[in-house]
Amino acid sequence: MIKQRTIKQSVKETGIGLHKGDKVTMTLRPAPANTGIVFRRVDLEPYADIPARADSVGDTMLCTCISNSDGVTISTVEHLASALAGLGIDNIIVEVDSDELPIMDGSASPFIFLLQSAGIEEINTAKQFIKITKTIRVEEDDKWAELRPYDGFRVDFRIDFDHPVISETRQHMVLDFDSSSYVDEVSRARTFGFMKDLEYMHSHNLALGGSMENAVALDEYRVLNPEGLRYSDEFLKHKILDAIGDLYLGGHSIVGELVAYKTGHGLNNKLLNALLQNKECWEFVSYETPEEMPIRFASPFLATN
């Protein structure tokens, strides 16, 4: 039986929130079977839980923001959700003392490090996957995204940015995660933006925590970060990272293929909601052996301390 996963022990990290620029402390805690991913605002009295669900997503302008039935929100959940998807972690409590997660370096890599430091532990309960049985598609202007049946998890992704640097990099990619490693190929890709937009947002008290410490910054012609890019196609890979995180708010790993053109947080969530509301397009499946399972995750292991 392929089992559900959580982390072995709690781990804490402090960083800066993207929107307010304030210090945020985040603690990742193990959770029992069938808990799912739960974000907990410990700065409130009593604390407030926000389950990660497709229908919890509200604002998607600059990030993915989720809320509970009482209107309590938490922003910038997509990079951590992407890391959880990449490691196949089903159950976790994410405690934060703010209304946003720390942005870290703008990628999923620091979250991967934290989760691996905590250790990955299996729970003696069957892991359920969402298997796509029929193609479902959403559109918005010239943008579109769809999930197709596929025995595994594959991403066929295309972006289209009219910028000299981005135009010179790969803007279309097919990644099959049976043979490609999320940790190696995707997790280190940082969010990116244009310096003129960041300056405008700062002047209006927006994205106060945004800097070249947590994003790839572009002017009209070049990358401004002294260290350059982590991947030659980092822009494309970050959009894939975001999409994987946004789709994992469905609470289960997807067995299928994501094909998308110019998609973002809003359209990713629109696709996930459309899928979950159309039950003829998917089914829950479990697997008995690793050989049967068409998706590969990192092997579970213990923390080193």
Side-chain angles (χ1 to χ4, degrees):
M1 176 180 68
I2 301 302
K3 300 174 181 179
Q4 293 183 20
R5 291 180 168 192
T6 187
I7 54 174
K8 182 172 178 58
Q9 62 188 27
S10 297
V11 62
K12 180 182 293 187
E13 185 60 274
T14 299
I16 298 298
L18 173 63
H19 300 295
K20 294 182 178 179
D22 295 334
K23 185 174 78 170
V24 179
T25 298
M26 175 187 71
T27 304
L28 306 178
R29 298 192 183 280
N34 301 321
T35 299
I37 303 166
V38 178
F39 292 88
R40 177 169 293 165
R41 290 276 304 275
V42 295
D43 57 318
L44 302 177
E45 182 62 45
Y47 64 70
D49 283 351
I50 311 173
R53 297 199 312 262
D55 60 1
S56 298
V57 175
D59 184 16
T60 57
M61 182 61 67
L62 295 173
C63 65
T64 297
C65 175
I66 60 174
S67 62
N68 65 12
S69 58
D70 295 324
V72 178
T73 65
I74 187 163
S75 301
T76 326
V77 301
E78 64 273 14
H79 298 167
L80 174 57
S82 190
L84 294 170
L87 295 177
I89 294 174
D90 307 273
N91 307 292
I92 194 167
I93 305 294
V94 182
E95 294 184 354
V96 286
D97 62 355
S98 175
D99 60 357
E100 57 182 325
L101 262 63
I103 187 62
M104 309 302 281
D105 71 349
S107 78
S109 185
F111 297 116
I112 292 286
F113 175 79
L114 284 173
L115 293 165
Q116 290 179 332
S117 298
I120 301 172
E121 187 169 66
E122 292 187 333
I123 304 171
N124 195 29
T125 302
K127 181 181 181 75
Q128 287 193 312
F129 297 76
I130 292 177
K131 182 177 181 180
I132 308 302
T133 57
K134 181 181 177 182
T135 297
I136 187 161
R137 178 184 176 105
V138 295
E139 300 178 1
E140 190 175 282
D141 300 323
D142 65 332
K143 307 170 185 177
W144 57 270
E146 61 185 33
L147 286 164
R148 302 174 180 174
Y150 179 73
D151 192 28
F153 181 58
R154 184 166 65 187
V155 174
D156 184 333
F157 215 90
R158 188 183 298 272
I159 60 175
D160 184 12
F161 285 94
D162 184 19
H163 184 279
V165 172
I166 303 178
S167 296
E168 291 173 359
T169 69
R170 181 162 47 169
Q171 297 198 68
H172 175 232
M173 174 181 294
V174 178
L175 276 177
D176 192 320
F177 288 95
D178 183 40
S179 56
S180 299
S181 164
Y182 171 88
V183 173
D184 295 336
E185 297 290 339
V186 176
S187 70
R188 296 179 63 247
R190 294 162 294 176
T191 191
F192 58 94
F194 301 99
M195 185 57 72
K196 61 180 180 181
D197 295 335
L198 183 60
E199 291 170 348
Y200 173 82
M201 287 188 288
H202 280 180
S203 70
H204 288 76
N205 290 321
L206 299 171
L208 296 178
S211 71
M212 283 188 282
E213 297 295 318
N214 50 49
V216 178
L218 299 158
D219 66 9
E220 293 182 357
Y221 307 104
R222 67 192 190 280
V223 172
L224 299 176
N225 302 60
E227 73 278 12
L229 298 176
R230 293 178 174 177
Y231 304 105
S232 62
D233 46 12
E234 187 166 2
F235 309 105
L236 173 60
K237 286 184 174 178
H238 185 77
K239 288 295 187 180
I240 292 173
L241 183 156
D242 278 346
I244 290 172
D246 288 336
L247 291 180
Y248 204 54
L249 295 180
H252 301 273
S253 300
I254 290 176
V255 178
E257 180 180 28
L258 169 66
V259 186
Y261 175 64
K262 294 172 63 174
T263 188
H265 296 305
L267 199 59
N268 294 336
N269 182 250
K270 185 176 180 180
L271 176 62
L272 180 58
N273 274 297
L275 173 70
L276 297 178
Q277 291 164 14
N278 288 272
K279 294 188 177 181
E280 73 277 9
C281 294
W282 61 278
E283 63 184 5
F284 279 129
V285 296
S286 298
Y287 299 97
E288 287 300 316
T289 66
E291 292 72 28
E292 292 179 18
M293 187 175 66
I295 301 178
R296 298 290 176 261
F297 301 113
S299 299
F301 54 91
L302 303 181
T304 56
N305 54 18

